[in-house]
């Protein structure tokens, strides 16, 4: 039972354009959502998070949007840079601001084309 | 280097052998997590500690798996009588109680069971 789904295994975007990565979840108990980025041979690194009481959170080039009614969130990267090429994981927690027991999606491999 | 460190980075073993992984978290972090990642999947939660107390274990953590954090600092994850299905990347992460929900991951310990 995949509670957090990333239906696009891969995405290619031209440098300078916007990258949009999508994530859907099924468990309405999830209260906090995070995005992680992973380079080969490294552990995942935190990018940005959003609480269920918000619908948008922005940090520099990265913006996360949350649509609770649709159980959908997205990560926008603009402008995309070659260093953004990585695997991106969406994750969800049942607790407000919580980092316990994160449930991860299967990841989307983003490739930025110079 | 003040990040999360894991040892060994790679372990190849024969089916039926026992293996142990060690994780040293960021020193001021009181929470420590173990996740497992298999090919094409996102990290899956195994267990987590707050200080020396193991607060939650996933049903993925069979009786052959045991994790300890005896003094609330480093942690060990032992797998007894390894099976080929145990082949995976074992990720350790640490965090503080409050904050953005960010977990700081180590680079992982890759286990191959022949």
């Amino acid at each position: 039972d995949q509670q957090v789904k990333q239906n696009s295994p891969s995405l290619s975007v031209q440098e300078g354009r916007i990258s949009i990565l999508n994530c859907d979840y099924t468990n309405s108990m999830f209260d906090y959502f995070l995005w992680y980025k992973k380079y080969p041979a490294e552990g995942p690194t935190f990018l940005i998070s959003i609480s269920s009481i918000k619908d948008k959170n922005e940090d520099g080039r990265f913006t996360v949007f949350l649509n609770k009614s649709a159980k959908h969130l997205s990560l926008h990267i603009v402008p995309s840079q070659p260093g953004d090429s990585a695997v991106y994981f969406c994750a969800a927690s049942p607790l407000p601001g919580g980092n316990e027991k994160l449930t991860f999606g299967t990841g989307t491999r983003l490739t930025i084309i110079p | 280097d003040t990040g999360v460190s894991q040892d060994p980075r790679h372990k190849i073993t024969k089916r039926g052998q026992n293996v142990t992984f060690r994780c040293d978290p960021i020193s001021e972090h009181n929470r420590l997590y173990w996740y497992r990642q298999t090919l094409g999947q996102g990290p899956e939660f195994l267990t987590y500690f707050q200080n020396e107390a193991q607060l939650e274990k996933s049903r993925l953590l069979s009786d052959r798996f045991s994790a300890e954090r005896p003094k609330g600092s480093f942690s060990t994850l032992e797998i007894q009588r390894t099976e080929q299905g145990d082949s995976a990347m074992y990720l350790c992460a640490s965090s503080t109680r409050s904050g953005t929900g960010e977990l700081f991951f180590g680079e992982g310990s890759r286990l191959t069971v022949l």
Side-chain angles (χ1 to χ4, degrees):
Chain A
D1 176 27
Q2 195 73 28
Q3 297 186 63
V4 177
K5 302 177 184 178
Q6 294 178 256
N7 292 319
S8 298
S10 63
L11 176 68
S12 294
V13 175
Q14 288 279 340
E15 181 179 0
R17 306 293 288 267
I18 184 171
S19 295
I20 300 176
L21 295 94
N22 294 304
C23 177
D24 296 292
Y25 62 96
T26 57
N27 189 341
S28 57
M29 298 301 293
F30 286 142
D31 198 69
Y32 199 77
F33 304 89
L34 307 94
W35 284 93
Y36 281 80
K37 177 166 86 170
K38 187 182 184 303
Y39 293 120
E42 294 185 11
T45 55
F46 171 78
L47 259 183
I48 191 168
S49 60
I50 187 166
S51 166
S52 62
I53 62 173
K54 296 186 175 181
D55 55 17
K56 177 182 173 181
N57 189 27
E58 204 169 341
D59 183 3
R61 297 187 296 115
F62 302 91
T63 303
V64 57
F65 295 91
L66 175 63
N67 182 333
K68 278 195 74 176
S69 61
K71 294 190 175 68
H72 176 84
L73 62 157
S74 60
L75 174 68
H76 292 210
I77 306 172
V78 57
S80 300
Q81 298 175 354
D84 296 330
S85 294
V87 178
Y88 289 77
F89 292 99
C90 171
S93 169
L95 297 174
N99 45 26
E100 293 87 356
K101 199 179 176 181
L102 293 181
T103 300
F104 284 82
T106 54
T108 296
R109 181 178 299 279
L110 176 65
T111 302
I112 304 303
I113 304 165
Chain B
D1 183 11
T2 57
V4 176
S5 64
Q6 293 188 243
D7 183 71
R9 294 290 309 280
H10 299 98
K11 179 71 176 179
I12 300 173
T13 191
K14 292 183 178 178
R15 185 164 48 96
Q17 297 295 304
N18 299 345
V19 297
T20 300
F21 300 113
R22 176 182 169 121
C23 172
D24 287 89
I26 294 171
S27 57
E28 62 267 28
H29 286 180
N30 58 0
R31 291 189 164 182
L32 186 147
Y33 308 79
W34 286 99
Y35 283 78
R36 180 174 71 185
Q37 186 176 15
T38 53
L39 197 62
Q41 301 297 314
E44 296 173 293
F45 170 81
L46 293 179
T47 188
Y48 94 95
F49 294 83
Q50 181 162 306
N51 299 313
E52 66 275 10
Q54 188 173 20
L55 295 188
E56 190 164 353
K57 293 196 298 185
S58 163
R59 66 180 185 276
L60 292 175
L61 215 65
S62 76
D63 290 345
R64 296 185 297 105
F65 288 71
S66 62
E68 294 183 343
R69 194 183 183 197
K71 296 182 180 179
S73 56
F74 73 92
S75 175
T76 57
L77 176 68
E78 181 183 17
I79 309 173
Q80 295 182 328
R81 306 181 303 283
T82 52
E83 301 172 357
Q84 288 186 324
D86 297 332
S87 296
M89 177 72 83
Y90 289 86
L91 293 163
C92 177
S94 68
S95 75
T96 56
R97 180 177 174 83
S98 60
T100 60
E102 177 180 2
L103 298 186
F104 294 80
F105 282 90
E107 294 177 321
S109 292
R110 181 171 294 283
L111 174 64
T112 301
V113 182
L114 302 176

